[in-house]
Amino acid sequence: MTSSDKPGTAADAPAEATEEAPAERTAVADLDWSAAAADPHYRAAVVDLLGALAYGELAAFERLADDAKLAPTLSDKAELAKMASAEFHHFERLRGRLAEIGEEPTEAMAPFVTAYESFHKQTAPSDWLEGLVKAYVGDSIASDFYREVAARLDTDTRELVLAVLDDTGHAGFAVEKVRAAIDADPRVGGRLALWARRLMGEALSQSQRVVADRDALSTMLVGGVADGFDLAEVGRMFSRITEAHTKRMAALGLAA
């Protein structure tokens, strides 16, 4: 899930405003945080984004720690514990950034607790393999979404978001273990494919609900705060996320 920071080409200097040709707005993606945060609506959107991402990292830490209890070998337990530690370090960076810009981290995270808890309640895994697929699918969908948004963020926020989306090693670990289980018993594949489809549906449903409930985030996605998104682009964004999911299922040896 590693991704490089590839900000768009800086916009040409805006032309002088005239009645025939009004001056162009500087793209948010070309600004640093201090300049972009002068817009209170943009600032609110970023606080929401960092709050959602921070709670997601904290929840991932807790989930991986729980998954380690189900691991069949000591080696597997150790690998998951290492990944959980990496997720917690990501959480700490986001918490620190929220505090740095004058926001209370727990208050920024609070609006997203219900959605995350609802998702995890609806998708509680019944065994070790389902837990691996859940982490792989859920984390990947979230990472795809945040990377899409990151392209429209100010340079400082974009750098942080991309850094905390670095793969902790879970993707390769999950693929290895799931494919080995399917090779050992092909019947496992059908069950896990159904499980992955359910996870995909729940993840997209919850993410769309969260965006709809948070005015700043929804404005960021459809335009008006971050440059470049519109309603049609939001549809294309979710199509790209779905396509990436299909490819990941193929990597697992599952039908999407």
Side-chain angles (χ1 to χ4, degrees):
M1 289 186 280
T2 304
S3 176
S4 58
D5 185 358
K6 297 180 180 178
T9 303
D12 294 334
E16 183 177 348
T18 67
E19 288 185 3
E20 293 77 21
E24 296 179 5
R25 293 179 57 197
T26 301
V28 171
D30 296 330
L31 302 176
D32 62 14
W33 167 252
S34 61
D39 180 346
H41 298 292
Y42 177 76
R43 179 187 176 90
V46 169
V47 170
D48 267 357
L49 187 69
L50 295 182
L53 187 51
Y55 190 74
E57 294 290 342
L58 182 59
F61 160 73
E62 294 177 327
R63 187 194 63 239
L64 286 169
D66 285 340
D67 287 349
K69 300 174 184 177
L70 300 173
T73 70
L74 287 175
S75 176
D76 292 335
K77 289 179 185 293
E79 284 298 314
L80 288 178
K82 181 173 70 174
M83 295 172 203
S85 177
E87 298 286 10
F88 191 76
H89 286 309
H90 290 167
F91 161 72
E92 289 183 312
R93 289 192 64 178
L94 291 159
R95 180 177 60 181
R97 178 58 176 166
L98 284 163
E100 182 183 345
I101 63 175
E103 300 291 335
E104 169 53 51
T106 55
E107 291 181 5
M109 291 187 289
F112 308 100
V113 172
T114 298
Y116 274 103
E117 294 303 315
S118 176
F119 172 73
H120 290 305
K121 182 178 180 180
Q122 294 294 326
T123 59
S126 62
D127 60 20
W128 156 252
L129 290 174
E130 287 190 1
L132 285 178
V133 172
K134 177 181 176 179
Y136 180 65
V137 170
D139 289 352
S140 297
I141 292 171
S143 293
D144 288 342
F145 173 77
Y146 288 123
R147 285 198 180 91
E148 291 274 358
V149 176
R152 276 76 179 180
L153 297 173
D154 65 271
T155 56
D156 297 318
T157 304
R158 181 169 66 246
E159 181 180 0
L160 172 62
V161 168
L162 292 175
V164 300
L165 293 178
D166 277 348
D167 183 18
T168 61
H170 197 278
F173 183 79
V175 169
E176 176 188 350
K177 297 299 179 180
V178 170
R179 290 191 73 97
I182 293 173
D183 288 343
D185 182 1
R187 293 173 299 177
V188 169
R191 173 171 66 88
L192 293 180
L194 290 173
W195 173 243
R197 284 195 286 273
R198 177 182 171 191
L199 292 168
M200 178 66 174
E202 289 288 345
L204 289 179
S205 176
Q206 287 295 339
S207 62
Q208 290 168 340
R209 188 173 299 122
V210 166
V211 170
D213 288 344
R214 305 298 295 178
D215 289 342
L217 275 180
S218 61
T219 302
M220 174 179 280
L221 288 177
V222 301
V225 173
D227 303 273
F229 268 112
D230 56 26
L231 286 172
E233 176 58 18
V234 171
R236 290 191 290 269
M237 177 187 73
F238 280 108
S239 293
R240 289 192 294 270
I241 292 173
T242 301
E243 182 179 352
H245 168 74
T246 300
K247 292 179 180 178
R248 290 192 184 99
M249 291 304 95
L252 282 174
L254 303 176

